[in-house]
Amino acid sequence: MGAVLVALLVPGLAFAASPVSQQQNGDAPPPVEGATMRVGLQQQIDSLNPFLGYTLASTDIFRSIYPTLTTYAADDFSVEPELAESWESSPDRLTWTFRIRDGATWSDGEPITAQDAAFTYNLMMTDSAASSANGTFVENFESVEAPDDGTLVIRTKTPQSTMLAIDAPIVPEHVWSGVDDIANFTNDEMPVVSGGPFTLTEYEPEQYVTLEANEQYWRGPPKIDELQFVQFKNSDAAVQALRKGEIDVVQKLTPAQFDALADEENIEQVRGQGRRFYEIILNPGATNSENQPIGSGHPALTDVRVRQAIDHAIDREAIVERVLGGYGEQGGGYLPPIFADYHWSPPPEQRRGFDIGEANRILDEAGYQRGEGGIRRTPQGEPLNFDFVLHGDESSDTQVGEFVKQWLRDIGIAVELQPVSDSQLGDRTTAGDFDMVISGWSANPDPDYVLKLQTCGARPSPDGGGLPDTFLCDRQYDELYDRQLAEFDPAARQDLVKQAQQRFYEQATGLVLYYQNSLEAYRSDRFSGFTTQPADNGVVTAQQGFWGYYGAVPTEAAATTGSGQGYGTVAMALGGAVVVLGAVGGVVLLRRRATADTRE
Amino acid sequence: MTGPAETPEAAESEEREPSRWGRFLAGKLGGAAVSLVLVAILGFFLFRVLPGDPARAMTQGAPVSGEQLAELRSRLGLDQPLWKQFVDYMVGLVGGDLGTSYTYSRPVTELIGERLGPTVLLVGTATGLAVLLGLWMGTRAAWRHGSAFDKSATSVALTLWSVPTFWLGLILLMVFGVGAGPIPGLFPVGGMTSSSPPDGLLPQILDVAHHLVLPSLTMVAVIYAQYLMVMRSSLLEEMGAEYLTTARAKGLREDLVRRRHAVPNALLPTVTLIFLHLGLVAAGAITVETVFSWPGLGLLLFEALRVPDLPVVQGVFLVMSASVIVMNLLADLVYRFLDPRVRES
């Protein structure tokens, strides 16, 4: 063992003196012109087909290579023209006309026209496989037509205010019209014909993806020449790779990893507001779309007073400090504060602060008397003992579970923690088979989708279809939801969205505990700046757009040194050492064999 | 492991030999084939009890409607009755088709093909090195059992064996990948190739070799102890044997007695162990593959189980089982070939 190690190290010791950042260009590939940015990826790319890929990793790639009608501004998520340079809607709000910009081209030189957009949306409306990932955007479309190359006309069944948030990638008709079977089309013919700021040129599954700058991009080419996503299967390795300079950007850091990078020179930390909210669902008496009760919720939780009392017993400040290491904001309203236009925060007179005394008072008043062992009972005599279902492989869930269990014991409620796998948790949530369960969603700049989760319509059908969240089914909430979807005045819509959140907060079916920060870091010796989204406290990767990668400014060092890791010499020496060792060993063995034969 | 097939004939003659081998082979091959079919059937039903709805897991967090989920399920064939799914699966299997992955929307055979190479490379290299190291050290340790070498070699090996693979991998990654103190970062932190591979075949081979060092070193450190211990104990058993006394009486040098008489006999149990280990090739690498982001089969299975991506899970299960079955078969054959006592029984 020791001998082997030494043999491996000796050739390398010669390079011990050279710092990491200096490249050994001995046998390294010749430096490329311009800079390559390598982003550590900790999630699988499920498909390169933009109609099928669900994961954030895939979505991030699609955003960088395919155009959309409109996009979200880097500064503040406001609507920004992309392929459509202007738009108008008819007086009845049912017909939308988009002017498609002139002069944009696909990477193979063909012009991008309204025909491409019409083809894409029609495909999503008619082919079930094509509607897999982004079908919700076209659910309410009546028809999509392109009367000429510069005009796209979309008619909707009912007025919808989300028409400037159609986040579906638009694909080239001349490539995709020949695809018979969308479900089995892998879209890995390189280079992939695309029209965004980057072009996909190389894909090694489970290893890396290479995108090259699109010199023809109508906004102008990106400042970097190449964008690479390098797969890492565990985040610790990705952090080490950043420290070493093997990659330039890491995302999804844990608080501990983030803190560990604080003193590293050449590494800049980015602490951005997250798009996720983290909530505890209290089963309010789950029903399906036919209004039949389903699942196994505890009857006491159908009482809004019990749900509100539980909220009073949760110390959000402690959870943010202890579970997130301070990297997050205390929860209140439903939508995260990163979307400032829509975020609602309960005013002081409505906010349910951490107050065990108040929680006990509410429960006493509501007639839940303490019984044996200090556990409260319903007026019918049933003890308040709740199942709390959590993700078994998430440490944050485990910690939150333990805290909540202790606090609820103080108000006379017994909690049994039930850690399960992700898919089991999803199944039990949909079936209403829980008293308390952890949930959470990533919100989009347009709040419609997450708001819809709390409507009666989101409840599962009797055959188990559907995607419910808290099983709230409240007429007042639904009315506010419908009104905001049909409201085209931005200020008025924001107001309705806030009212809906207020109603959701009062009902206390979902207790939003926190909004987690998004923790990233990059090599400041190779990149001097990124466009963050939003401008203040924004993120660099996985944006609602491509601004971070598009606006990244490479330093002199990054532009002049190749991305070759300069291991050529070391590798050669190593390889040589191994070969020599093997040869010597072999010769020795053979000789000993030979002499042994003669001796016997 | 089943023992070699008994042959009822007591009378043995030279010309009967091939037919006995033939019958033995046929029996073994038949057994292996039956096992494979059973594994295929078992695998299908076994993974059907996994909790979780693949359609929901795949679309986790994406804006999808209930109708879309239903469509997705019907596209995956999950809405078919179980017997129908089973028949489709078996029919596909006969044609060498393992179905299409849910998550990757690609044929499972393609996915497995892509990942099998890296895993075989990693585990093959590591097992090869571990066998050499373990056998050599085990032999030394047994021959001079009780010596300082014996004590230190066994205790080091046992210590490494009991260290968690994940932890050891991360330590090696930090010390030799990133660099610690005077030690520079000599090896890549993850992956199998550089993200911009060099041009030319030899540089590319070296690039892969360079990435291979740390993961295979981790694996060797963890597994070589088993070979060392088995070799050591089986050699110790042989050491009192009378034929060794005979060999010494013939005046042979001590190392010849060891190499030409004791070791070959002691190797028998070790050979079996090596083959059985090779059978577990894919399964054994999951942890190391995870630490070093090695694009192998173990990782594919791990991620597929979470969904559960049934076609992938079934496919990998089948490949892993097949490798165990085939290696078992080989172990039986090689054992019979190596050990005259078994051959004559």
Side-chain angles (χ1 to χ4, degrees), chain A residues 14-46:
Chain A
F15 304 97
S18 61
V20 174
S21 56
Q22 273 183 26
Q23 298 289 334
Q24 313 279 343
N25 275 332
D27 299 291
V32 287
E33 280 299 304
T36 296
M37 183 163 82
R38 293 150 306 170
V39 180
L41 204 59
Q42 293 162 40
Q43 196 188 21
Q44 45 188 143
I45 293 165
D46 51 353

Side-chain angles (χ1 to χ4, degrees), chain B residues 72-263:
Chain B
L72 185 59
R73 284 193 194 104
S74 86
R75 199 171 80 220
L76 302 178
L78 289 168
D79 55 348
Q80 306 275 0
L82 196 61
W83 65 266
K84 176 93 171 59
Q85 290 184 43
F86 178 67
V87 169
D88 289 348
Y89 162 75
M90 287 315 266
V91 168
L93 211 54
V94 171
D97 176 14
L98 290 172
T100 305
S101 155
Y102 297 162
T103 12
Y104 297 97
S105 318
R106 294 173 54 206
V108 173
T109 40
E110 235 176 73
L111 285 169
I112 292 180
E114 261 167 22
R115 311 272 202 291
L116 196 58
T119 292
V120 168
L121 176 68
L122 170 61
V123 183
T125 310
T127 310
L129 287 173
V131 165
L132 289 175
L133 190 72
L135 296 194
W136 178 74
M137 288 182 109
T139 309
R140 296 266 148 168
W143 206 249
R144 289 184 266 144
H145 65 97
S147 67
F149 177 86
D150 179 21
K151 286 196 179 105
S152 60
T154 6
S155 55
V156 167
L158 287 177
T159 306
L160 285 171
W161 191 13
S162 45
V163 159
T165 315
F166 204 87
W167 180 84
L168 183 70
L170 276 175
I171 294 292
L172 286 178
L173 186 150
M174 285 167 89
V175 174
F176 299 110
V178 183
I183 305 169
L186 293 173
F187 302 102
V189 170
M192 189 172 77
T193 55
S194 305
S195 53
S196 348
D199 296 327
L201 185 64
L202 183 67
Q204 279 178 9
I205 291 174
L206 284 176
D207 184 43
V208 172
H210 192 204
H211 282 77
L212 182 63
V213 174
L214 286 184
S216 55
L217 209 60
T218 308
M219 255 187 115
V220 168
V222 174
I223 62 179
Y224 86 99
Q226 306 173 58
Y227 302 113
L228 186 152
M229 297 316 286
V230 170
M231 190 66 203
R232 182 174 175 274
S233 63
S234 57
L235 191 54
L236 279 176
E237 273 177 35
E238 296 292 335
M239 273 172 59
E242 290 177 2
Y243 67 89
L244 293 186
T245 317
T246 313
R248 288 196 186 94
K250 283 197 307 189
L252 287 182
R253 279 210 336 266
E254 193 66 2
D255 67 324
L256 282 181
V257 173
R258 187 181 73 225
R259 281 216 317 273
R260 303 197 44 90
H261 293 269
V263 170

Side-chain angles (χ1 to χ4, degrees), chain A residues 399-417:
Chain A
Q399 292 171 322
V400 166
E402 290 296 340
F403 278 123
V404 169
K405 184 176 176 170
Q406 282 175 21
W407 289 322
L408 292 197
R409 185 178 306 140
D410 294 343
I411 62 171
I413 294 175
V415 171
E416 187 198 330
L417 301 180

Side-chain angles (χ1 to χ4, degrees), chain A residues 49 51-52 123 127 129-130 176 179-186:
Chain A
N49 178 333
F51 297 107
L52 301 180
L123 189 65
D127 182 317
W176 288 77
V179 177
D180 294 333
D181 182 4
I182 296 283
N184 289 313
F185 185 68
T186 50

Side-chain angles (χ1 to χ4, degrees), chain A residues 43-185:
Chain A
Q43 196 188 21
Q44 45 188 143
I45 293 165
D46 51 353
S47 175
L48 293 178
N49 178 333
F51 297 107
L52 301 180
Y54 287 102
T55 60
L56 276 175
S58 304
T59 313
D60 220 16
I61 290 172
F62 301 144
R63 286 186 199 285
S64 304
I65 64 173
Y66 286 114
T68 48
L69 275 188
T70 54
T71 185
Y72 296 109
D75 286 353
D76 57 0
F77 294 110
S78 59
V79 173
E80 167 116 357
E82 177 65 16
L83 193 57
E85 52 187 4
S86 64
W87 46 84
E88 57 189 13
S89 65
S90 60
D92 66 358
R93 305 291 191 197
L94 289 174
T95 306
W96 287 74
T97 308
F98 293 89
R99 292 288 314 152
I100 303 298
R101 79 181 54 249
D102 214 13
T105 56
W106 295 109
S107 53
D108 60 0
E110 296 280 324
I112 306 179
T113 68
Q115 313 287 353
D116 293 305
F119 166 80
T120 303
Y121 295 154
N122 278 309
L123 189 65
M124 286 159 61
M125 287 156 66
T126 52
D127 182 317
S128 72
S131 76
S132 297
N134 299 310
T136 37
F137 292 118
V138 299
E139 263 183 331
N140 193 34
F141 285 11
E142 184 69 53
S143 69
V144 182
E145 287 155 358
D148 61 65
D149 282 0
T151 314
L152 182 76
V153 180
I154 302 178
R155 289 187 181 79
T156 58
K157 296 170 188 165
T158 56
Q160 67 174 61
S161 58
T162 57
M163 286 299 292
L164 300 178
I166 302 168
D167 224 354
I170 291 167
V171 299
E173 180 177 13
H174 63 279
V175 174
W176 288 77
S177 55
V179 177
D180 294 333
D181 182 4
I182 296 283
N184 289 313
F185 185 68

Side-chain angles (χ1 to χ4, degrees), chain A residues 259-276:
Chain A
D259 286 338
L261 291 172
D263 311 330
E264 293 274 335
E265 52 177 334
N266 298 332
I267 290 180
E268 186 73 33
Q269 296 162 293
V270 182
R271 177 183 176 179
Q273 288 185 303
R275 292 195 291 121
R276 277 190 86 75

